[in-house]
Amino acid sequence: MTVLMTVLGIAIFAVGLLVSIAWHELGHLSTAKIFGIRVPQYMVGFGPTVWSRHRGETEYGIKAIPMGGYIRMIGMFPPGEDGKVTARSTSPFRSMIEDARSAAYEELQPGDEKRLFYTRKPWKRVIVMFAGPFMNLILAVAIFLTTLMTFGVNTQTTSVASVSDCVIQQSEKRDTCTAGDPAAPAKAAGLQAGDKIVAFNGRRADDWAALQKDIRSTVGPATITVVRAGQRIDLKADLIENKVARTDGSGKYVKDQYVTAGFLGFAPASGYVPQTFGQSADRMGEMMQAGVTSLVQLPSKVPDLWNAAFNGADRAQDSPMGVVGAARVSGEIFNLDLPATHILVIFLNLLAGFNLSLFLFNMLPLLPLDGGHIAGALWESLRRNLAKLFKRPDPGPFDVAKLMPVAYVVASVFICFTLLVMVADVVNPIKIT
């Protein structure tokens, strides 16, 4: 059953990956057609074509390797000095092997002179190139909003999972009581597993973070109001000082850091708590910020990745993870001993996170990524408007093809990094904790 569920998880992730890629390329395709650009091909995957069919002037197909996708647009670059125009691909990998000027010159058909990508105004080109990553962002937001507002966030609640028998300083890192340990205030007050704390000293306990703050700021007598078997009960406790784990601004524990604070002595139960639209928006903003930070920090992760892949070092939980690693995690998710709805939520969040990463990565202003073409169009718009403002001759279209040497370097670095991540994902994968 374990092997079957692992294969099922990997297969479902592969389908989600293909859908995400197809959705991305659909953004490019639809906007290109809206602006009258001829698109000869729309492909999901790379390598040999498994299936394809022509609809109008476009060939739609699926290729054997589900590691990306592309559309081909006529006239992605301006003509060179020889006057030739080529059909180019939105795929970083195909862009590396196509000549920037003449490889697909023969694909031009009568009438294509008015349907070339480079002849469209810069703002239209920006829309076409932005539409792909934006589709990934739309999908990520839609999935996150659905899971956050429908299922919620797995978080600690004000319900009691267990009650401590005695007072133990958390810095001691033990959970067995000794003869000299005093009884925990919660135990002495009669708190029981399954109780739901609804108030603390008369203050409503709506969430764990607020309740934890009230408990830690209290030393001495306190009234704890709980709901037990449908009845509201007031319990009297005498909180004491204890050395407990430090928390950050979001209520998460900081490893190996401790503070002296009020102590009651119970473990909160975890559960999915639905979020409001505002809470969901805030959480997605935090995800976006964390994604940008992770992207900026990618170069600094290379030494740790290398050590994890080739020197047997531990793989950090925040280590970059590729498609292979994400597929393995998906397989692990489907083996978790959790309700089916919880497994679905975790998987959907994984897929949404993947789409958010696609959006952020493709927006980097580097060729051959979408962001590089966007930067080229914006630069062209800037210099042509400046020329118009200062009554200078129109400099014409910006020749993005001149940046192809830079694109080759960027693509080579990206391929090397992808291979390093893939090796690490195979020999030393990130595991669910």
Side-chain angles (χ1 to χ4, degrees), residues 3 55 111 124 203 255 259 288 313 369 376 393:
V3 174
R55 285 287 185 271
K124 292 184 178 180
R203 186 198 301 267
K255 185 178 180 180
V259 295
M288 182 75 74
L369 302 174

Side-chain angles (χ1 to χ4, degrees), residues 109-170:
Q109 299 176 359
D112 279 348
E113 294 78 11
K114 297 180 180 180
R115 304 187 63 189
L116 306 175
F117 175 81
Y118 86 90
T119 61
R120 296 302 180 261
K121 292 183 178 180
W123 67 267
K124 292 184 178 180
R125 279 179 275 153
V126 168
I127 290 176
V128 171
M129 299 312 298
F130 178 70
F134 186 60
M135 294 292 271
N136 291 123
L137 180 62
I138 290 174
L139 187 56
V141 170
I143 294 175
F144 277 135
L145 276 179
T146 299
T147 58
L148 289 171
M149 298 182 68
T150 303
F151 299 100
V153 177
N154 189 19
T155 185
Q156 292 172 312
T157 68
T158 60
S159 295
V160 179
S162 62
V163 178
S164 303
D165 291 322
C166 61
V167 179
I168 301 175
Q169 292 188 2
Q170 291 184 350

Side-chain angles (χ1 to χ4, degrees), residues 122 125-126 129-130 362-367 369-383 398 400 403:
R125 279 179 275 153
V126 168
M129 299 312 298
F130 178 70
N362 274 286
M363 289 308 297
L364 289 175
L366 300 170
L367 286 174
L369 302 174
D370 295 328
H373 291 284
I374 292 173
L378 292 175
W379 171 246
E380 176 184 323
S381 177
L382 175 63
R383 69 175 193 166
F398 174 63
V400 182
L403 298 178

